[in-house]
């Protein structure tokens, strides 16, 4: 493997504390929607590694991106700010630098230049950047981009000195779809056409009378990439849990954003519209000694919550700057008030969205509202704003209040939801 290795030694603390501190490994998988994993209800793609991880982890049912723009997402991850925050990025401490100042060795492993060159990535003491391969089908799993990246992460796991944070960002489905062709073909039924062989991620709007076989081919190709990812994850889990540091290392696996596959007649990497297939992502947190194992949490979690979660895991105090995120460690979710995590705001360009327990509101740049009942309408196929105009108006008002609070980094400003937004209509 050819990698670019960048060492930033000045940010490494000169001495470690006397007490043993924990470690953490974060897997951020780009374009991985939760709907394609077994723990989130998918039944046609086998994901045994994800199932194994879920059996030992806290699983958040409703994890939503706060933006579909990768640069904005990483401000949320690494600075605890919401995508709507109006505060200048330089006014907020960065995760890696803050951990390094408390004797934690932060590593960044990625094959995405957007993440590698992000302003908030400067605090990582070690950065390992893997170049992206050509857009062509691999002859074996070992030759794929994902396998090379995960192998690099395992190498780093063997090198890192506890206490450490290893942040792994994989382009995954944002990059070449290079899984061996047989991984796509395993999903074919007897009468299905052969899936496409192209390693270029598909991008297209579907015509009203589109050919369902063409869409099926795209879905099988994506499923092949998910199968490849599951294989790589299984190898990483074995390496982690058999390592010397495994007994003290937490693992958080999440997706940055999903990949629309025709649910609303769009296939590709567009950042809009803000439907569930784009913004609903997995969030699984494994803690050593079994904290939160096999627990499915129904609170709403977003990217800014990862910043305080990791700070608390490492027992590092939060900065004085206001944070939007809240720690999502199992004991926090178990004991917090029901109203603490019942709203999620999402923004991208001129489009905005709000998720509450019973509803999802999406507003286009024109202001046109689209409302869906949750959790029943998981993929937002039934638009009902005309049928529930009063509820739609309440959601629009709540969305405006959420945006104002997020811009001011003032989460306590959020008001408790009325029962109709929390419980729906009888």
């Amino acid at each position: 493997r050819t990698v670019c290795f960048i060492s930033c030694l000045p940010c490494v603390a000169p001495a470690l504390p006397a007490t043993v501190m924990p470690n953490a490994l974060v897997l951020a998988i780009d374009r991985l929607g939760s709907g394609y994993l077994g723990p989130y209800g998918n039944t046609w793609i086998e994901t045994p590694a994800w199932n194994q991880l879920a059996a030992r982890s806290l699983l958040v049912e409703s994890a939503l991106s706060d933006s579909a723009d990768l640069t904005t997402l990483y401000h949320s991850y690494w600075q605890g700010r919401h995508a709507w925050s109006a505060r200048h990025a330089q006014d907020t401490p960065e995760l890696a630098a803050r951990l390094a100042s408390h004797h934690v060795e932060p590593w960044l492993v990625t094959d995405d230049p957007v993440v590698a060159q992000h302003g908030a990535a400067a605090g990582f003491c070690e950065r390992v950047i893997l170049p992206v391969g050509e857009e062509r089908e691999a002859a074996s799993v070992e030759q794929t981009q994902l396998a090379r990246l995960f192998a690099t992460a395992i190498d780093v796991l063997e090198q890192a000195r506890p206490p450490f944070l290893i942040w792994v960002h994989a382009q995954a489905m944002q990059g070449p779809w290079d899984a061996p062709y047989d991984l796509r073909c395993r999903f074919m039924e007897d009468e299905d056409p052969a899936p496409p062989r192209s390693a270029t991620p598909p991008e297209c709007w579907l015509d009203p009378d589109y050919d369902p076989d063409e869409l099926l081919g795209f879905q099988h190709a994506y499923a092949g990439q998910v199968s490849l990812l599951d294989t790589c994850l299984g190898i990483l889990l074995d390496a982690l849990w058999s390592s010397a540091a495994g007994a003290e290392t937490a693992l958080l696996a999440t997706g940055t954003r999903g990949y629309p596959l025709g649910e609303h007649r769009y296939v590709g990497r567009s950042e809009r519209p803000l439907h569930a297939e784009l913004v609903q992502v997995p969030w699984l947190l494994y803690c050593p000694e079994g904290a939160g194992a096999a627990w499915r949490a129904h609170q709403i979690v977003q990217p800014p919550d990862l910043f305080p979660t990791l700070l608390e895991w490492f027992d590092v105090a939060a900065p004085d700057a206001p944070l939007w995120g809240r720690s999502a460690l199992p004991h926090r979710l178990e004991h917090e008030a029901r109203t603490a995590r019942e709203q999620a705001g999402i923004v991208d360009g001129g489009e905005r969205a709000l998720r509450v327990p019973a509803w999802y509101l999406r507003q286009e740049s024109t202001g046109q509202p689209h409302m869906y009942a949750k959790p029943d309408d998981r993929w937002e196929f039934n638009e009902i704003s005309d049928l529930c105009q009063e509820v739609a108006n309440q959601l629009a008002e709540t969305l405006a209040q959420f945006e104002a609070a997020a811009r001011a980094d003032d989460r306590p400003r959020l008001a408790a939801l009325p029962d109709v937004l929390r419980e729906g209509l009888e």
Side-chain angles (χ1 to χ4, degrees), residues 25-32 50 70 74 77-78 108-116 128 130-132 144-153 166-177 225 228-229 232-233 236 252 254-257:
L25 173 62
V26 175
L27 294 179
I29 311 298
D30 205 4
R31 299 298 180 182
L32 178 63
W50 286 97
L70 194 60
Y74 266 87
Y77 282 139
W78 287 344
L108 173 63
V109 182
T110 185
D111 59 353
D112 195 316
V114 173
V115 175
V128 184
L130 192 72
V132 178
T144 62
Q145 181 73 16
L146 267 171
R148 291 196 297 268
L149 183 71
F150 273 67
T152 302
I166 301 174
W167 189 292
V168 181
H169 174 94
Q171 273 202 12
M173 280 64 83
Q174 174 74 4
W177 290 13
Q225 292 299 122
L228 168 65
L229 172 63
C232 295
L233 176 64
L236 178 65
L252 191 144
T254 188
T256 56
R257 50 199 173 166

Short mmCIF file of all heavy atoms in Angstrom, two decimals, residues 25-32 50 70 74 77-78 108-116 128 130-132 144-153 166-177 225 228-229 232-233 236 252 254-257:
data_model
loop_
_atom_site.label_atom_id
_atom_site.label_comp_id
_atom_site.label_asym_id
_atom_site.label_seq_id
_atom_site.Cartn_x
_atom_site.Cartn_y
_atom_site.Cartn_z
N LEU A 25 -11.78 4.22 19.06
CA LEU A 25 -11.67 4.06 17.62
C LEU A 25 -13.00 4.50 17.01
O LEU A 25 -14.05 4.00 17.40
CB LEU A 25 -11.38 2.60 17.26
CG LEU A 25 -11.40 2.19 15.79
CD1 LEU A 25 -10.34 2.93 15.00
CD2 LEU A 25 -11.20 0.67 15.66
N VAL A 26 -12.94 5.46 16.10
CA VAL A 26 -14.15 5.96 15.42
C VAL A 26 -14.08 5.54 13.96
O VAL A 26 -13.07 5.77 13.28
CB VAL A 26 -14.27 7.49 15.52
CG1 VAL A 26 -15.46 7.98 14.70
CG2 VAL A 26 -14.42 7.92 16.98
N LEU A 27 -15.15 4.92 13.48
CA LEU A 27 -15.29 4.58 12.06
C LEU A 27 -16.38 5.46 11.47
O LEU A 27 -17.55 5.34 11.86
CB LEU A 27 -15.68 3.11 11.89
CG LEU A 27 -14.68 2.04 12.30
CD1 LEU A 27 -15.29 0.66 12.08
CD2 LEU A 27 -13.39 2.19 11.52
N ALA A 28 -16.01 6.34 10.58
CA ALA A 28 -16.97 7.20 9.88
C ALA A 28 -17.02 6.74 8.43
O ALA A 28 -16.05 6.92 7.68
CB ALA A 28 -16.57 8.66 9.98
N ILE A 29 -18.12 6.14 8.03
CA ILE A 29 -18.25 5.53 6.70
C ILE A 29 -19.13 6.44 5.84
O ILE A 29 -20.31 6.64 6.14
CB ILE A 29 -18.88 4.13 6.79
CG1 ILE A 29 -18.16 3.29 7.85
CG2 ILE A 29 -18.84 3.45 5.43
CD1 ILE A 29 -16.71 3.04 7.59
N ASP A 30 -18.57 6.98 4.79
CA ASP A 30 -19.31 7.92 3.95
C ASP A 30 -20.31 7.18 3.05
O ASP A 30 -20.02 6.10 2.52
CB ASP A 30 -18.36 8.73 3.09
CG ASP A 30 -18.94 10.08 2.67
OD1 ASP A 30 -20.07 10.40 3.12
OD2 ASP A 30 -18.29 10.80 1.91
N ARG A 31 -21.48 7.79 2.92
CA ARG A 31 -22.57 7.31 2.07
C ARG A 31 -23.12 5.96 2.52
O ARG A 31 -23.59 5.17 1.70
CB ARG A 31 -22.11 7.22 0.61
CG ARG A 31 -21.67 8.56 0.02
CD ARG A 31 -22.80 9.56 -0.01
NE ARG A 31 -22.38 10.85 -0.59
CZ ARG A 31 -23.19 11.90 -0.68
NH1 ARG A 31 -24.43 11.82 -0.22
NH2 ARG A 31 -22.77 13.03 -1.20
N LEU A 32 -23.11 5.73 3.84
CA LEU A 32 -23.69 4.51 4.39
C LEU A 32 -24.98 4.86 5.12
O LEU A 32 -24.95 5.39 6.24
CB LEU A 32 -22.72 3.82 5.35
CG LEU A 32 -23.24 2.55 6.03
CD1 LEU A 32 -23.54 1.46 5.00
CD2 LEU A 32 -22.27 2.05 7.08
N TRP A 50 -21.73 -6.38 11.19
CA TRP A 50 -22.54 -5.32 11.79
C TRP A 50 -23.48 -5.91 12.83
O TRP A 50 -23.71 -5.30 13.89
CB TRP A 50 -23.32 -4.57 10.72
CG TRP A 50 -22.49 -3.65 9.91
CD1 TRP A 50 -21.93 -3.89 8.69
CD2 TRP A 50 -22.08 -2.32 10.27
NE1 TRP A 50 -21.21 -2.80 8.27
CE2 TRP A 50 -21.27 -1.83 9.21
CE3 TRP A 50 -22.31 -1.50 11.37
CZ2 TRP A 50 -20.71 -0.55 9.23
CZ3 TRP A 50 -21.75 -0.23 11.40
CH2 TRP A 50 -20.96 0.23 10.35
N LEU A 70 -19.91 17.45 3.53
CA LEU A 70 -18.90 16.77 4.34
C LEU A 70 -18.08 17.75 5.17
O LEU A 70 -17.78 17.48 6.35
CB LEU A 70 -17.99 15.94 3.44
CG LEU A 70 -17.10 14.91 4.15
CD1 LEU A 70 -17.93 13.90 4.91
CD2 LEU A 70 -16.20 14.20 3.14
N TYR A 74 -17.93 17.75 9.37
CA TYR A 74 -16.75 17.58 10.20
C TYR A 74 -16.53 18.74 11.17
O TYR A 74 -15.88 18.56 12.21
CB TYR A 74 -15.52 17.28 9.35
CG TYR A 74 -15.33 15.78 9.26
CD1 TYR A 74 -15.98 15.03 8.29
CD2 TYR A 74 -14.58 15.11 10.22
CE1 TYR A 74 -15.86 13.64 8.26
CE2 TYR A 74 -14.45 13.74 10.19
CZ TYR A 74 -15.08 13.01 9.21
OH TYR A 74 -14.96 11.63 9.20
N TYR A 77 -18.67 17.20 13.91
CA TYR A 77 -17.99 16.10 14.60
C TYR A 77 -16.86 16.60 15.50
O TYR A 77 -16.74 16.16 16.65
CB TYR A 77 -17.37 15.16 13.57
CG TYR A 77 -18.31 14.21 12.88
CD1 TYR A 77 -18.18 13.97 11.51
CD2 TYR A 77 -19.30 13.51 13.57
CE1 TYR A 77 -19.01 13.07 10.86
CE2 TYR A 77 -20.14 12.63 12.93
CZ TYR A 77 -19.99 12.41 11.56
OH TYR A 77 -20.82 11.52 10.92
N TRP A 78 -16.02 17.45 14.98
CA TRP A 78 -14.76 17.79 15.65
C TRP A 78 -14.82 19.06 16.49
O TRP A 78 -13.86 19.39 17.18
CB TRP A 78 -13.65 17.92 14.61
CG TRP A 78 -13.22 16.60 14.04
CD1 TRP A 78 -13.48 15.36 14.56
CD2 TRP A 78 -12.45 16.37 12.84
NE1 TRP A 78 -12.93 14.37 13.76
CE2 TRP A 78 -12.30 14.96 12.71
CE3 TRP A 78 -11.89 17.21 11.88
CZ2 TRP A 78 -11.59 14.40 11.65
CZ3 TRP A 78 -11.19 16.64 10.83
CH2 TRP A 78 -11.04 15.25 10.72
N LEU A 108 -5.42 10.22 12.61
CA LEU A 108 -6.42 10.32 11.55
C LEU A 108 -5.99 9.41 10.41
O LEU A 108 -4.87 9.53 9.91
CB LEU A 108 -6.57 11.75 11.05
CG LEU A 108 -7.49 11.96 9.82
CD1 LEU A 108 -8.93 11.55 10.14
CD2 LEU A 108 -7.42 13.40 9.32
N VAL A 109 -6.88 8.50 10.00
CA VAL A 109 -6.65 7.61 8.87
C VAL A 109 -7.78 7.83 7.88
O VAL A 109 -8.96 7.64 8.22
CB VAL A 109 -6.61 6.13 9.31
CG1 VAL A 109 -6.32 5.22 8.12
CG2 VAL A 109 -5.59 5.92 10.41
N THR A 110 -7.47 8.23 6.66
CA THR A 110 -8.53 8.53 5.70
C THR A 110 -8.03 8.40 4.27
O THR A 110 -6.82 8.47 4.00
CB THR A 110 -9.09 9.94 5.91
OG1 THR A 110 -10.20 10.15 5.03
CG2 THR A 110 -8.04 11.01 5.65
N ASP A 111 -8.96 8.20 3.37
CA ASP A 111 -8.66 8.23 1.93
C ASP A 111 -9.44 9.36 1.25
O ASP A 111 -9.57 9.36 0.03
CB ASP A 111 -8.99 6.89 1.27
CG ASP A 111 -10.46 6.48 1.42
OD1 ASP A 111 -11.20 7.17 2.15
OD2 ASP A 111 -10.87 5.47 0.82
N ASP A 112 -9.93 10.31 2.04
CA ASP A 112 -10.71 11.42 1.49
C ASP A 112 -9.95 12.73 1.69
O ASP A 112 -9.74 13.16 2.83
CB ASP A 112 -12.08 11.50 2.17
CG ASP A 112 -13.05 12.39 1.40
OD1 ASP A 112 -12.62 13.48 0.96
OD2 ASP A 112 -14.21 12.00 1.24
N PRO A 113 -9.55 13.40 0.62
CA PRO A 113 -8.80 14.66 0.77
C PRO A 113 -9.60 15.75 1.46
O PRO A 113 -9.01 16.63 2.10
CB PRO A 113 -8.44 15.04 -0.67
CG PRO A 113 -9.38 14.26 -1.54
CD PRO A 113 -9.69 13.01 -0.79
N VAL A 114 -10.92 15.73 1.35
CA VAL A 114 -11.74 16.74 2.03
C VAL A 114 -11.53 16.65 3.54
O VAL A 114 -11.39 17.67 4.23
CB VAL A 114 -13.23 16.57 1.67
CG1 VAL A 114 -14.10 17.50 2.50
CG2 VAL A 114 -13.46 16.82 0.18
N VAL A 115 -11.50 15.44 4.06
CA VAL A 115 -11.30 15.23 5.49
C VAL A 115 -9.84 15.49 5.87
O VAL A 115 -9.55 16.14 6.88
CB VAL A 115 -11.74 13.81 5.89
CG1 VAL A 115 -11.43 13.54 7.36
CG2 VAL A 115 -13.22 13.62 5.62
N ALA A 116 -8.92 14.98 5.06
CA ALA A 116 -7.49 15.14 5.37
C ALA A 116 -7.09 16.60 5.43
O ALA A 116 -6.23 16.99 6.23
CB ALA A 116 -6.66 14.41 4.33
N VAL A 128 -2.53 9.64 8.49
CA VAL A 128 -2.18 8.65 7.48
C VAL A 128 -3.20 8.78 6.36
O VAL A 128 -4.40 8.53 6.57
CB VAL A 128 -2.17 7.23 8.05
CG1 VAL A 128 -1.69 6.23 7.00
CG2 VAL A 128 -1.29 7.15 9.29
N LEU A 130 -4.43 7.75 2.66
CA LEU A 130 -4.35 6.72 1.62
C LEU A 130 -4.90 7.27 0.32
O LEU A 130 -6.03 7.76 0.29
CB LEU A 130 -5.15 5.49 2.05
CG LEU A 130 -4.97 4.21 1.24
CD1 LEU A 130 -3.61 3.60 1.54
CD2 LEU A 130 -6.08 3.22 1.57
N PRO A 131 -4.16 7.23 -0.78
CA PRO A 131 -4.69 7.73 -2.04
C PRO A 131 -5.82 6.85 -2.55
O PRO A 131 -5.86 5.65 -2.27
CB PRO A 131 -3.48 7.69 -2.98
CG PRO A 131 -2.57 6.66 -2.38
CD PRO A 131 -2.77 6.74 -0.90
N VAL A 132 -6.72 7.45 -3.30
CA VAL A 132 -7.86 6.71 -3.86
C VAL A 132 -7.42 6.02 -5.15
O VAL A 132 -6.75 6.62 -6.00
CB VAL A 132 -9.04 7.65 -4.14
CG1 VAL A 132 -10.20 6.89 -4.77
CG2 VAL A 132 -9.48 8.33 -2.85
N THR A 144 -9.38 -4.06 -2.95
CA THR A 144 -10.34 -2.96 -2.95
C THR A 144 -9.84 -1.79 -2.11
O THR A 144 -9.00 -1.95 -1.22
CB THR A 144 -11.70 -3.41 -2.42
OG1 THR A 144 -11.55 -3.83 -1.05
CG2 THR A 144 -12.27 -4.56 -3.24
N GLN A 145 -10.41 -0.62 -2.38
CA GLN A 145 -10.05 0.58 -1.62
C GLN A 145 -10.39 0.42 -0.14
O GLN A 145 -9.61 0.77 0.74
CB GLN A 145 -10.77 1.79 -2.21
CG GLN A 145 -10.46 3.10 -1.54
CD GLN A 145 -9.07 3.62 -1.85
OE1 GLN A 145 -8.44 3.16 -2.80
NE2 GLN A 145 -8.59 4.57 -1.07
N LEU A 146 -11.56 -0.13 0.15
CA LEU A 146 -11.97 -0.29 1.54
C LEU A 146 -11.03 -1.24 2.29
O LEU A 146 -10.65 -0.98 3.43
CB LEU A 146 -13.40 -0.83 1.61
CG LEU A 146 -14.53 0.20 1.73
CD1 LEU A 146 -15.88 -0.47 1.57
CD2 LEU A 146 -14.46 0.96 3.04
N ALA A 147 -10.64 -2.34 1.64
CA ALA A 147 -9.75 -3.30 2.30
C ALA A 147 -8.39 -2.66 2.58
O ALA A 147 -7.81 -2.89 3.66
CB ALA A 147 -9.59 -4.55 1.43
N ARG A 148 -7.89 -1.87 1.64
CA ARG A 148 -6.61 -1.21 1.87
C ARG A 148 -6.70 -0.22 3.03
O ARG A 148 -5.79 -0.12 3.86
CB ARG A 148 -6.15 -0.49 0.60
CG ARG A 148 -5.77 -1.43 -0.54
CD ARG A 148 -4.97 -0.70 -1.60
NE ARG A 148 -5.76 0.36 -2.23
CZ ARG A 148 -6.49 0.21 -3.32
NH1 ARG A 148 -6.59 -0.99 -3.89
NH2 ARG A 148 -7.17 1.23 -3.83
N LEU A 149 -7.81 0.52 3.09
CA LEU A 149 -7.96 1.48 4.17
C LEU A 149 -8.08 0.79 5.52
O LEU A 149 -7.46 1.20 6.51
CB LEU A 149 -9.18 2.37 3.92
CG LEU A 149 -9.39 3.47 4.96
CD1 LEU A 149 -8.32 4.55 4.82
CD2 LEU A 149 -10.77 4.09 4.85
N PHE A 150 -8.88 -0.29 5.59
CA PHE A 150 -9.05 -0.99 6.87
C PHE A 150 -7.75 -1.67 7.28
O PHE A 150 -7.43 -1.73 8.48
CB PHE A 150 -10.20 -1.99 6.76
CG PHE A 150 -11.55 -1.42 7.08
CD1 PHE A 150 -12.12 -0.46 6.25
CD2 PHE A 150 -12.24 -1.80 8.20
CE1 PHE A 150 -13.37 0.08 6.54
CE2 PHE A 150 -13.49 -1.27 8.51
CZ PHE A 150 -14.05 -0.32 7.67
N ALA A 151 -6.97 -2.18 6.32
CA ALA A 151 -5.68 -2.77 6.65
C ALA A 151 -4.74 -1.70 7.22
O ALA A 151 -3.98 -1.96 8.17
CB ALA A 151 -5.06 -3.41 5.41
N THR A 152 -4.80 -0.51 6.67
CA THR A 152 -4.00 0.60 7.20
C THR A 152 -4.43 0.94 8.62
O THR A 152 -3.60 1.20 9.49
CB THR A 152 -4.13 1.83 6.29
OG1 THR A 152 -3.72 1.50 4.96
CG2 THR A 152 -3.28 2.99 6.80
N ALA A 153 -5.75 0.94 8.86
CA ALA A 153 -6.25 1.21 10.21
C ALA A 153 -5.76 0.16 11.20
O ALA A 153 -5.43 0.49 12.36
CB ALA A 153 -7.78 1.28 10.19
N ILE A 166 -8.15 6.84 17.43
CA ILE A 166 -7.91 6.58 16.01
C ILE A 166 -9.21 6.89 15.28
O ILE A 166 -10.23 6.23 15.51
CB ILE A 166 -7.49 5.13 15.75
CG1 ILE A 166 -6.21 4.79 16.52
CG2 ILE A 166 -7.27 4.90 14.25
CD1 ILE A 166 -5.79 3.33 16.43
N TRP A 167 -9.18 7.93 14.46
CA TRP A 167 -10.36 8.31 13.68
C TRP A 167 -10.15 7.84 12.24
O TRP A 167 -9.23 8.27 11.56
CB TRP A 167 -10.54 9.83 13.71
CG TRP A 167 -11.85 10.27 13.11
CD1 TRP A 167 -12.23 10.20 11.80
CD2 TRP A 167 -12.97 10.84 13.82
NE1 TRP A 167 -13.51 10.67 11.64
CE2 TRP A 167 -13.99 11.08 12.85
CE3 TRP A 167 -13.20 11.19 15.15
CZ2 TRP A 167 -15.22 11.65 13.20
CZ3 TRP A 167 -14.42 11.74 15.49
CH2 TRP A 167 -15.41 11.97 14.53
N VAL A 168 -11.01 6.94 11.80
CA VAL A 168 -10.93 6.39 10.45
C VAL A 168 -12.11 6.90 9.64
O VAL A 168 -13.27 6.63 9.99
CB VAL A 168 -10.94 4.84 10.47
CG1 VAL A 168 -10.82 4.29 9.05
CG2 VAL A 168 -9.81 4.31 11.35
N HIS A 169 -11.83 7.66 8.61
CA HIS A 169 -12.88 8.10 7.69
C HIS A 169 -12.67 7.39 6.36
O HIS A 169 -11.62 7.53 5.72
CB HIS A 169 -12.86 9.61 7.47
CG HIS A 169 -13.84 10.04 6.42
ND1 HIS A 169 -15.12 10.47 6.73
CD2 HIS A 169 -13.75 10.08 5.06
CE1 HIS A 169 -15.76 10.75 5.61
NE2 HIS A 169 -14.95 10.52 4.58
N ALA A 170 -13.67 6.65 5.91
CA ALA A 170 -13.61 5.93 4.64
C ALA A 170 -14.52 6.59 3.61
O ALA A 170 -15.70 6.83 3.89
CB ALA A 170 -14.03 4.47 4.85
N GLN A 171 -13.96 6.86 2.43
CA GLN A 171 -14.82 7.34 1.34
C GLN A 171 -15.94 6.35 1.07
O GLN A 171 -17.06 6.74 0.77
CB GLN A 171 -14.00 7.54 0.06
CG GLN A 171 -13.36 8.89 -0.05
CD GLN A 171 -13.04 9.26 -1.48
OE1 GLN A 171 -13.48 8.60 -2.44
NE2 GLN A 171 -12.29 10.31 -1.65
N ALA A 172 -15.62 5.07 1.13
CA ALA A 172 -16.60 4.00 0.95
C ALA A 172 -17.42 4.22 -0.32
O ALA A 172 -16.87 4.30 -1.41
CB ALA A 172 -17.47 3.89 2.20
N MET A 173 -18.74 4.37 -0.19
CA MET A 173 -19.60 4.48 -1.37
C MET A 173 -19.53 5.85 -2.04
O MET A 173 -20.12 6.06 -3.10
CB MET A 173 -21.03 4.13 -1.01
CG MET A 173 -21.30 2.63 -0.94
SD MET A 173 -20.41 1.74 0.34
CE MET A 173 -21.46 2.04 1.76
N GLN A 174 -18.83 6.79 -1.44
CA GLN A 174 -18.56 8.07 -2.09
C GLN A 174 -17.47 7.90 -3.15
O GLN A 174 -17.42 8.66 -4.12
CB GLN A 174 -18.12 9.10 -1.05
CG GLN A 174 -17.67 10.45 -1.60
CD GLN A 174 -18.79 11.31 -2.11
OE1 GLN A 174 -19.97 10.96 -2.00
NE2 GLN A 174 -18.45 12.46 -2.69
N GLY A 175 -16.61 6.91 -2.95
CA GLY A 175 -15.52 6.65 -3.88
C GLY A 175 -15.85 5.51 -4.84
O GLY A 175 -17.03 5.16 -5.03
N PRO A 176 -14.85 4.90 -5.45
CA PRO A 176 -15.09 3.85 -6.44
C PRO A 176 -15.86 2.66 -5.86
O PRO A 176 -15.56 2.21 -4.75
CB PRO A 176 -13.68 3.43 -6.86
CG PRO A 176 -12.80 4.58 -6.50
CD PRO A 176 -13.41 5.20 -5.28
N TRP A 177 -16.81 2.16 -6.62
CA TRP A 177 -17.52 0.94 -6.25
C TRP A 177 -16.75 -0.22 -6.86
O TRP A 177 -17.12 -0.76 -7.90
CB TRP A 177 -18.96 0.98 -6.74
CG TRP A 177 -19.83 1.97 -6.01
CD1 TRP A 177 -19.42 2.97 -5.17
CD2 TRP A 177 -21.26 2.05 -6.05
NE1 TRP A 177 -20.50 3.67 -4.69
CE2 TRP A 177 -21.65 3.13 -5.21
CE3 TRP A 177 -22.23 1.33 -6.71
CZ2 TRP A 177 -22.98 3.50 -5.03
CZ3 TRP A 177 -23.57 1.69 -6.53
CH2 TRP A 177 -23.94 2.75 -5.69
N GLN A 225 -21.11 -3.37 -2.35
CA GLN A 225 -20.20 -2.54 -1.55
C GLN A 225 -20.46 -2.70 -0.06
O GLN A 225 -19.54 -2.70 0.75
CB GLN A 225 -20.35 -1.07 -1.96
CG GLN A 225 -19.87 -0.74 -3.35
CD GLN A 225 -18.39 -1.05 -3.54
OE1 GLN A 225 -18.02 -1.83 -4.42
NE2 GLN A 225 -17.55 -0.42 -2.75
N LEU A 228 -18.90 -5.89 0.99
CA LEU A 228 -17.45 -5.67 1.11
C LEU A 228 -17.12 -4.97 2.42
O LEU A 228 -16.19 -5.37 3.14
CB LEU A 228 -16.96 -4.85 -0.08
CG LEU A 228 -15.55 -4.28 0.01
CD1 LEU A 228 -14.52 -5.40 0.04
CD2 LEU A 228 -15.28 -3.32 -1.15
N LEU A 229 -17.87 -3.93 2.75
CA LEU A 229 -17.65 -3.21 3.99
C LEU A 229 -17.83 -4.12 5.19
O LEU A 229 -17.04 -4.07 6.15
CB LEU A 229 -18.64 -2.04 4.08
CG LEU A 229 -18.71 -1.29 5.40
CD1 LEU A 229 -17.37 -0.62 5.72
CD2 LEU A 229 -19.83 -0.24 5.38
N CYS A 232 -14.75 -6.24 5.66
CA CYS A 232 -13.66 -5.45 6.22
C CYS A 232 -13.89 -5.15 7.70
O CYS A 232 -12.95 -5.20 8.51
CB CYS A 232 -13.50 -4.15 5.43
SG CYS A 232 -12.99 -4.37 3.71
N LEU A 233 -15.13 -4.83 8.05
CA LEU A 233 -15.44 -4.56 9.45
C LEU A 233 -15.18 -5.78 10.31
O LEU A 233 -14.64 -5.67 11.42
CB LEU A 233 -16.90 -4.11 9.58
CG LEU A 233 -17.39 -3.88 11.02
CD1 LEU A 233 -16.64 -2.72 11.68
CD2 LEU A 233 -18.90 -3.63 11.04
N LEU A 236 -11.55 -6.07 11.04
CA LEU A 236 -11.13 -5.04 11.99
C LEU A 236 -11.58 -5.38 13.41
O LEU A 236 -10.83 -5.21 14.37
CB LEU A 236 -11.68 -3.68 11.57
CG LEU A 236 -11.36 -2.51 12.50
CD1 LEU A 236 -9.86 -2.24 12.53
CD2 LEU A 236 -12.11 -1.26 12.08
N LEU A 252 -16.87 3.46 18.03
CA LEU A 252 -18.10 4.08 17.54
C LEU A 252 -18.10 3.99 16.02
O LEU A 252 -17.18 4.48 15.36
CB LEU A 252 -18.22 5.53 17.98
CG LEU A 252 -19.61 6.13 17.71
CD1 LEU A 252 -20.01 7.09 18.81
CD2 LEU A 252 -19.69 6.83 16.36
N THR A 254 -20.31 4.83 12.60
CA THR A 254 -21.41 5.65 12.13
C THR A 254 -21.25 5.91 10.64
O THR A 254 -20.22 5.59 10.03
CB THR A 254 -21.47 6.99 12.90
OG1 THR A 254 -22.66 7.70 12.55
CG2 THR A 254 -20.27 7.86 12.60
N GLY A 255 -22.28 6.44 10.04
CA GLY A 255 -22.23 6.89 8.66
C GLY A 255 -22.28 8.41 8.64
O GLY A 255 -22.90 9.02 9.51
N THR A 256 -21.62 9.03 7.66
CA THR A 256 -21.68 10.48 7.58
C THR A 256 -22.97 10.93 6.90
O THR A 256 -23.61 11.89 7.33
CB THR A 256 -20.48 11.02 6.80
OG1 THR A 256 -20.45 10.40 5.51
CG2 THR A 256 -19.19 10.71 7.53
N ARG A 257 -23.37 10.23 5.85
CA ARG A 257 -24.58 10.55 5.09
C ARG A 257 -24.89 9.34 4.23
O ARG A 257 -24.04 8.48 4.01
CB ARG A 257 -24.35 11.79 4.22
CG ARG A 257 -23.08 11.68 3.40
CD ARG A 257 -22.55 12.98 2.88
NE ARG A 257 -21.25 12.77 2.25
CZ ARG A 257 -20.64 13.63 1.48
NH1 ARG A 257 -21.21 14.79 1.21
NH2 ARG A 257 -19.46 13.36 0.96
#
